[in-house]
Structure formats: C-alpha cells, structure tokens
Short mmCIF file of all heavy atoms in Angstrom, two decimals:
data_model
loop_
_atom_site.label_atom_id
_atom_site.label_comp_id
_atom_site.label_asym_id
_atom_site.label_seq_id
_atom_site.Cartn_x
_atom_site.Cartn_y
_atom_site.Cartn_z
N LEU A 348 -7.99 4.39 -43.19
CA LEU A 348 -8.67 5.10 -42.14
C LEU A 348 -9.08 4.17 -41.05
O LEU A 348 -8.88 4.34 -39.79
CB LEU A 348 -9.97 5.79 -42.71
CG LEU A 348 -10.81 6.38 -41.66
CD1 LEU A 348 -10.17 7.59 -40.89
CD2 LEU A 348 -12.07 6.96 -42.25
N LEU A 349 -9.63 2.99 -41.46
CA LEU A 349 -9.94 1.99 -40.44
C LEU A 349 -8.69 1.37 -39.55
O LEU A 349 -8.77 1.19 -38.51
CB LEU A 349 -10.73 0.83 -41.00
CG LEU A 349 -12.08 1.11 -41.59
CD1 LEU A 349 -12.63 -0.03 -42.31
CD2 LEU A 349 -12.97 1.48 -40.34
N ALA A 350 -7.70 1.17 -40.34
CA ALA A 350 -6.41 0.75 -39.75
C ALA A 350 -5.80 1.85 -38.76
O ALA A 350 -5.41 1.55 -37.66
CB ALA A 350 -5.31 0.54 -40.82
N THR A 351 -6.02 3.05 -39.16
CA THR A 351 -5.58 4.22 -38.27
C THR A 351 -6.40 4.17 -36.96
O THR A 351 -5.78 4.24 -35.78
CB THR A 351 -5.75 5.58 -38.94
OG1 THR A 351 -4.86 5.47 -40.19
CG2 THR A 351 -5.28 6.67 -38.17
N LEU A 352 -7.61 4.10 -37.07
CA LEU A 352 -8.55 4.08 -35.98
C LEU A 352 -8.31 2.85 -35.03
O LEU A 352 -8.30 3.06 -33.78
CB LEU A 352 -10.03 4.07 -36.33
CG LEU A 352 -10.58 5.35 -36.98
CD1 LEU A 352 -11.88 5.06 -37.52
CD2 LEU A 352 -10.51 6.35 -36.02
N VAL A 353 -8.04 1.68 -35.61
CA VAL A 353 -7.77 0.52 -34.89
C VAL A 353 -6.48 0.73 -34.11
O VAL A 353 -6.38 0.33 -32.87
CB VAL A 353 -7.70 -0.83 -35.70
CG1 VAL A 353 -6.99 -1.86 -35.01
CG2 VAL A 353 -9.15 -1.10 -36.20
N LEU A 354 -5.42 1.31 -34.76
CA LEU A 354 -4.13 1.47 -34.13
C LEU A 354 -4.27 2.39 -33.01
O LEU A 354 -3.68 2.29 -31.91
CB LEU A 354 -3.03 1.88 -35.08
CG LEU A 354 -2.62 0.78 -36.02
CD1 LEU A 354 -1.75 1.33 -37.10
CD2 LEU A 354 -1.98 -0.26 -35.37
N ILE A 355 -4.99 3.52 -33.27
CA ILE A 355 -5.02 4.51 -32.21
C ILE A 355 -5.75 3.99 -31.01
O ILE A 355 -5.32 4.12 -29.79
CB ILE A 355 -5.92 5.71 -32.67
CG1 ILE A 355 -5.12 6.55 -33.73
CG2 ILE A 355 -6.40 6.70 -31.52
CD1 ILE A 355 -5.83 7.65 -34.44
N PHE A 356 -6.77 3.14 -31.13
CA PHE A 356 -7.55 2.64 -29.94
C PHE A 356 -6.73 1.49 -29.44
O PHE A 356 -6.73 1.41 -28.17
CB PHE A 356 -8.89 2.10 -30.44
CG PHE A 356 -9.95 3.26 -30.58
CD1 PHE A 356 -10.34 3.77 -31.77
CD2 PHE A 356 -10.43 3.80 -29.37
CE1 PHE A 356 -11.24 4.78 -31.91
CE2 PHE A 356 -11.37 4.87 -29.51
CZ PHE A 356 -11.82 5.35 -30.87
N ALA A 357 -5.99 0.78 -30.17
CA ALA A 357 -5.13 -0.19 -29.58
C ALA A 357 -4.01 0.33 -28.75
O ALA A 357 -3.84 -0.21 -27.55
CB ALA A 357 -4.61 -1.18 -30.67
N PHE A 358 -3.41 1.37 -29.19
CA PHE A 358 -2.37 1.98 -28.31
C PHE A 358 -2.94 2.77 -27.23
O PHE A 358 -2.10 3.07 -26.20
CB PHE A 358 -1.41 2.83 -29.20
CG PHE A 358 -0.50 2.03 -30.07
CD1 PHE A 358 -0.67 2.07 -31.43
CD2 PHE A 358 0.40 1.08 -29.57
CE1 PHE A 358 0.31 1.40 -32.22
CE2 PHE A 358 1.18 0.40 -30.39
CZ PHE A 358 1.23 0.50 -31.76
N GLN A 359 -4.19 3.24 -27.18
CA GLN A 359 -4.64 4.00 -26.20
C GLN A 359 -5.55 3.22 -25.28
O GLN A 359 -6.37 3.75 -24.56
CB GLN A 359 -5.28 5.24 -26.67
CG GLN A 359 -4.50 6.20 -27.39
CD GLN A 359 -3.38 6.77 -26.46
OE1 GLN A 359 -3.66 7.00 -25.28
NE2 GLN A 359 -2.12 6.93 -26.94
N ALA A 360 -5.63 1.82 -25.32
CA ALA A 360 -6.56 1.09 -24.65
C ALA A 360 -6.54 1.33 -23.17
O ALA A 360 -7.61 1.36 -22.48
CB ALA A 360 -6.35 -0.40 -25.00
N ASP A 361 -5.36 1.44 -22.60
CA ASP A 361 -5.18 1.66 -21.17
C ASP A 361 -5.94 2.97 -20.74
O ASP A 361 -6.48 3.13 -19.59
CB ASP A 361 -3.73 1.68 -20.71
CG ASP A 361 -2.98 0.31 -20.88
OD1 ASP A 361 -3.90 -0.75 -20.88
OD2 ASP A 361 -1.88 0.27 -21.03
N ASN A 362 -5.66 4.01 -21.53
CA ASN A 362 -6.20 5.30 -21.15
C ASN A 362 -7.83 5.28 -21.31
O ASN A 362 -8.50 5.87 -20.48
CB ASN A 362 -5.67 6.38 -22.10
CG ASN A 362 -4.28 6.85 -21.85
OD1 ASN A 362 -3.84 6.75 -20.52
ND2 ASN A 362 -3.52 7.14 -22.72
N ILE A 363 -8.26 4.69 -22.30
CA ILE A 363 -9.70 4.52 -22.60
C ILE A 363 -10.42 3.70 -21.38
O ILE A 363 -11.44 4.10 -20.86
CB ILE A 363 -10.08 3.93 -23.85
CG1 ILE A 363 -9.58 4.80 -24.94
CG2 ILE A 363 -11.51 3.60 -24.10
CD1 ILE A 363 -9.54 4.33 -26.38
N THR A 364 -9.86 2.65 -21.11
CA THR A 364 -10.44 1.76 -20.02
C THR A 364 -10.27 2.22 -18.59
O THR A 364 -10.94 2.10 -17.86
CB THR A 364 -10.02 0.36 -20.13
OG1 THR A 364 -8.60 0.23 -20.09
CG2 THR A 364 -10.42 -0.27 -21.54
N GLY A 365 -9.09 2.91 -18.41
CA GLY A 365 -8.71 3.41 -17.09
C GLY A 365 -9.26 4.62 -16.69
O GLY A 365 -9.33 5.04 -15.58
N LYS A 366 -9.70 5.52 -17.75
CA LYS A 366 -10.12 6.77 -17.39
C LYS A 366 -11.56 6.96 -18.01
O LYS A 366 -11.85 7.80 -18.90
CB LYS A 366 -9.22 7.77 -18.01
CG LYS A 366 -7.83 7.70 -17.38
CD LYS A 366 -6.81 8.77 -18.05
CE LYS A 366 -5.50 8.50 -17.42
NZ LYS A 366 -4.44 9.36 -18.19
N ALA A 367 -12.40 6.18 -17.52
CA ALA A 367 -13.85 6.21 -18.06
C ALA A 367 -14.53 7.63 -17.94
O ALA A 367 -15.26 8.10 -18.74
CB ALA A 367 -14.72 5.11 -17.26
N LEU A 368 -14.20 8.30 -16.80
CA LEU A 368 -14.80 9.66 -16.60
C LEU A 368 -14.30 10.66 -17.81
O LEU A 368 -15.20 11.37 -18.26
CB LEU A 368 -14.45 10.12 -15.22
CG LEU A 368 -14.90 11.58 -14.96
CD1 LEU A 368 -16.48 11.60 -14.94
CD2 LEU A 368 -14.42 12.13 -13.68
N HIS A 369 -13.03 10.50 -18.03
CA HIS A 369 -12.54 11.35 -19.08
C HIS A 369 -13.30 11.06 -20.54
O HIS A 369 -13.52 11.98 -21.24
CB HIS A 369 -11.03 11.30 -19.27
CG HIS A 369 -10.35 11.81 -18.04
ND1 HIS A 369 -9.30 11.09 -17.47
CD2 HIS A 369 -10.35 13.00 -17.34
CE1 HIS A 369 -8.86 11.80 -16.51
NE2 HIS A 369 -9.57 12.93 -16.36
N VAL A 370 -13.48 9.85 -20.71
CA VAL A 370 -14.11 9.36 -21.96
C VAL A 370 -15.55 9.87 -22.05
O VAL A 370 -15.91 10.38 -23.00
CB VAL A 370 -14.06 7.84 -22.12
CG1 VAL A 370 -14.90 7.43 -23.28
CG2 VAL A 370 -12.52 7.34 -22.31
N ALA A 371 -16.15 9.83 -20.86
CA ALA A 371 -17.53 10.32 -20.74
C ALA A 371 -17.52 11.82 -20.99
O ALA A 371 -18.57 12.32 -21.57
CB ALA A 371 -18.20 9.80 -19.48
N LEU A 372 -16.64 12.60 -20.43
CA LEU A 372 -16.65 13.92 -20.48
C LEU A 372 -16.36 14.39 -21.94
O LEU A 372 -16.86 15.55 -22.36
CB LEU A 372 -15.50 14.58 -19.48
CG LEU A 372 -15.86 14.57 -18.14
CD1 LEU A 372 -14.67 14.92 -17.38
CD2 LEU A 372 -17.06 15.32 -17.71
N ILE A 373 -15.84 13.57 -22.77
CA ILE A 373 -15.63 13.90 -24.10
C ILE A 373 -16.82 13.28 -24.97
O ILE A 373 -17.35 13.99 -25.87
CB ILE A 373 -14.32 13.27 -24.62
CG1 ILE A 373 -13.10 13.91 -23.96
CG2 ILE A 373 -14.22 13.31 -26.23
CD1 ILE A 373 -11.79 13.19 -24.25
N ALA A 374 -17.27 12.16 -24.69
CA ALA A 374 -18.43 11.53 -25.51
C ALA A 374 -19.68 12.23 -25.31
O ALA A 374 -20.46 12.39 -26.25
CB ALA A 374 -18.54 10.00 -25.09
N VAL A 375 -20.12 12.68 -24.15
CA VAL A 375 -21.45 13.14 -23.87
C VAL A 375 -21.57 14.50 -24.76
O VAL A 375 -22.68 14.68 -25.36
CB VAL A 375 -21.59 13.45 -22.33
CG1 VAL A 375 -23.03 14.19 -22.11
CG2 VAL A 375 -21.77 11.95 -21.67
N PRO A 376 -20.66 15.41 -24.68
CA PRO A 376 -21.00 16.63 -25.48
C PRO A 376 -21.00 16.33 -26.99
O PRO A 376 -21.76 17.00 -27.77
CB PRO A 376 -19.80 17.52 -25.11
CG PRO A 376 -19.28 17.08 -23.91
CD PRO A 376 -19.56 15.62 -23.78
N ILE A 377 -20.26 15.33 -27.42
CA ILE A 377 -20.27 15.06 -28.85
C ILE A 377 -21.58 14.33 -29.17
O ILE A 377 -22.18 14.80 -30.27
CB ILE A 377 -19.24 14.09 -29.08
CG1 ILE A 377 -17.74 14.70 -29.10
CG2 ILE A 377 -19.29 13.46 -30.64
CD1 ILE A 377 -16.58 13.96 -29.26
N LEU A 378 -22.09 13.54 -28.38
CA LEU A 378 -23.42 12.92 -28.56
C LEU A 378 -24.62 14.11 -28.60
O LEU A 378 -25.44 14.06 -29.40
CB LEU A 378 -23.83 11.96 -27.59
CG LEU A 378 -23.09 10.59 -27.74
CD1 LEU A 378 -23.47 9.71 -26.48
CD2 LEU A 378 -23.66 9.92 -28.98
N ILE A 379 -24.51 14.98 -27.68
CA ILE A 379 -25.41 16.08 -27.67
C ILE A 379 -25.34 16.84 -28.83
O ILE A 379 -26.42 17.20 -29.49
CB ILE A 379 -25.12 16.89 -26.41
CG1 ILE A 379 -25.58 16.11 -25.08
CG2 ILE A 379 -25.93 18.29 -26.51
CD1 ILE A 379 -25.11 16.90 -23.78
N GLN A 380 -24.08 17.07 -29.30
CA GLN A 380 -24.04 17.95 -30.62
C GLN A 380 -24.59 17.20 -31.73
O GLN A 380 -25.24 17.76 -32.58
CB GLN A 380 -22.58 18.26 -30.75
CG GLN A 380 -22.26 19.03 -32.10
CD GLN A 380 -20.68 19.09 -32.40
OE1 GLN A 380 -19.84 18.59 -31.59
NE2 GLN A 380 -20.49 19.72 -33.48
N VAL A 381 -24.25 15.84 -31.91
CA VAL A 381 -24.94 15.11 -33.06
C VAL A 381 -26.43 15.11 -32.99
O VAL A 381 -26.91 15.33 -33.99
CB VAL A 381 -24.29 13.62 -32.96
CG1 VAL A 381 -24.95 12.82 -33.86
CG2 VAL A 381 -22.74 13.72 -33.36
N TYR A 382 -26.97 14.85 -31.83
CA TYR A 382 -28.40 14.88 -31.73
C TYR A 382 -29.08 16.27 -32.06
O TYR A 382 -30.04 16.36 -32.65
CB TYR A 382 -28.85 14.38 -30.37
CG TYR A 382 -28.81 12.80 -30.31
CD1 TYR A 382 -27.94 12.07 -29.47
CD2 TYR A 382 -29.61 12.00 -31.17
CE1 TYR A 382 -27.96 10.82 -29.34
CE2 TYR A 382 -29.58 10.66 -31.05
CZ TYR A 382 -28.70 10.07 -30.09
OH TYR A 382 -28.62 8.71 -30.15
N PHE A 383 -28.39 17.22 -31.49
CA PHE A 383 -28.89 18.60 -31.74
C PHE A 383 -28.80 18.93 -33.22
O PHE A 383 -29.76 19.46 -33.83
CB PHE A 383 -28.08 19.63 -30.95
CG PHE A 383 -28.34 21.17 -31.28
CD1 PHE A 383 -29.55 21.72 -30.76
CD2 PHE A 383 -27.64 21.89 -32.12
CE1 PHE A 383 -29.90 22.99 -31.11
CE2 PHE A 383 -27.91 23.09 -32.40
CZ PHE A 383 -29.09 23.73 -31.91
N ASN A 384 -27.59 18.68 -33.85
CA ASN A 384 -27.51 19.05 -35.28
C ASN A 384 -28.44 18.27 -36.12
O ASN A 384 -29.26 18.88 -37.10
CB ASN A 384 -26.07 18.82 -35.70
CG ASN A 384 -25.20 19.74 -35.25
OD1 ASN A 384 -25.44 20.87 -34.74
ND2 ASN A 384 -23.84 19.45 -35.27
N SER A 385 -28.74 16.96 -35.89
CA SER A 385 -29.61 16.24 -36.63
C SER A 385 -31.06 16.66 -36.42
O SER A 385 -31.79 16.76 -37.40
CB SER A 385 -29.54 14.66 -36.06
OG SER A 385 -28.30 14.27 -36.32
N SER A 386 -31.34 16.94 -35.13
CA SER A 386 -32.71 17.56 -34.92
C SER A 386 -33.05 18.84 -35.62
O SER A 386 -34.05 19.10 -36.20
CB SER A 386 -33.03 17.63 -33.49
OG SER A 386 -32.96 16.38 -32.75
N LEU A 387 -32.01 19.73 -35.50
CA LEU A 387 -32.10 21.02 -36.16
C LEU A 387 -32.39 20.85 -37.75
O LEU A 387 -33.13 21.45 -38.29
CB LEU A 387 -30.88 21.78 -35.80
CG LEU A 387 -30.84 23.31 -36.53
CD1 LEU A 387 -31.97 24.11 -35.95
CD2 LEU A 387 -29.53 23.87 -36.30
N THR A 388 -31.51 20.12 -38.32
CA THR A 388 -31.63 19.85 -39.69
C THR A 388 -32.95 19.21 -40.10
O THR A 388 -33.71 19.66 -41.00
CB THR A 388 -30.54 18.82 -40.17
OG1 THR A 388 -29.38 19.39 -39.81
CG2 THR A 388 -30.49 18.62 -41.62
N TYR A 389 -33.40 18.25 -39.43
CA TYR A 389 -34.72 17.62 -39.60
C TYR A 389 -35.84 18.63 -39.54
O TYR A 389 -36.75 18.79 -40.38
CB TYR A 389 -34.94 16.51 -38.64
CG TYR A 389 -36.43 15.83 -38.77
CD1 TYR A 389 -36.58 14.85 -39.79
CD2 TYR A 389 -37.34 16.14 -37.95
CE1 TYR A 389 -37.72 14.23 -39.91
CE2 TYR A 389 -38.58 15.50 -38.03
CZ TYR A 389 -38.74 14.59 -39.05
OH TYR A 389 -40.04 14.01 -39.24
N GLY A 390 -35.78 19.53 -38.37
CA GLY A 390 -36.87 20.43 -38.21
C GLY A 390 -36.82 21.59 -39.29
O GLY A 390 -37.89 21.89 -39.80
N LEU A 391 -35.59 21.95 -39.73
CA LEU A 391 -35.61 22.98 -40.79
C LEU A 391 -36.15 22.42 -42.15
O LEU A 391 -36.65 23.14 -42.79
CB LEU A 391 -34.13 23.47 -40.94
CG LEU A 391 -33.72 24.45 -39.79
CD1 LEU A 391 -32.19 24.79 -39.94
CD2 LEU A 391 -34.52 25.66 -39.76
N MET A 392 -35.79 21.08 -42.48
CA MET A 392 -36.25 20.58 -43.58
C MET A 392 -37.78 20.53 -43.63
O MET A 392 -38.38 20.75 -44.60
CB MET A 392 -35.60 19.18 -43.85
CG MET A 392 -34.16 19.24 -44.04
SD MET A 392 -33.60 20.16 -45.51
CE MET A 392 -32.75 21.55 -44.81
N ARG A 393 -38.32 20.07 -42.41
CA ARG A 393 -39.81 20.09 -42.49
C ARG A 393 -40.36 21.46 -42.51
O ARG A 393 -41.42 21.61 -43.11
CB ARG A 393 -40.10 19.42 -41.12
CG ARG A 393 -39.89 17.90 -41.18
CD ARG A 393 -40.82 17.04 -40.57
NE ARG A 393 -42.20 17.33 -40.47
CZ ARG A 393 -43.05 16.53 -40.41
NH1 ARG A 393 -42.84 15.10 -40.49
NH2 ARG A 393 -44.40 16.65 -40.30
N LEU A 394 -39.74 22.38 -41.83
CA LEU A 394 -40.31 23.88 -41.76
C LEU A 394 -40.30 24.40 -43.21
O LEU A 394 -41.31 24.99 -43.63
CB LEU A 394 -39.40 24.64 -40.94
CG LEU A 394 -39.91 26.15 -40.83
CD1 LEU A 394 -41.12 26.24 -40.24
CD2 LEU A 394 -38.74 26.91 -40.14
#
C-alpha cells in the first residue's frame, strides 16, 4: 500500500505541484467531511 501511494505521487508530482487549485478543490471537501464525521461521532457518543 505504501509503495503504491509513493508511486502514484511520484508519477503525478507535476500535476500535484502545478495545479494547486485543483488539489485544494479536492482536499478541502475531504477535510470538511473528515471533521464533520468525527464531530458527529463524538457528539453522538457523548449524547
């Protein structure tokens, strides 16, 4: 799994570094989803 990730990022380095807006457009919703799911789970467990 780690080797696959390294290879994917190595072969896509130009796309990742050259298209920062596209990376942000993908990363921001994922971060929002992770924080939302974590907060929801934490809140429900406390409730």
Side-chain angles (χ1 to χ4, degrees):
L348 176 62
L349 290 174
T351 302
L352 291 173
V353 167
L354 288 173
I355 287 172
F356 282 104
F358 286 118
Q359 295 299 321
D361 293 337
N362 287 328
I363 292 170
T364 57
K366 299 177 182 174
L368 178 63
H369 294 133
V370 172
L372 288 173
I373 294 169
V375 170
I377 292 172
L378 283 173
I379 292 170
Q380 178 186 359
V381 167
Y382 282 116
F383 174 77
N384 288 342
S385 300
S386 301
L387 179 65
T388 302
Y389 178 78
L391 288 172
M392 293 299 115
R393 291 214 30 149
L394 178 69

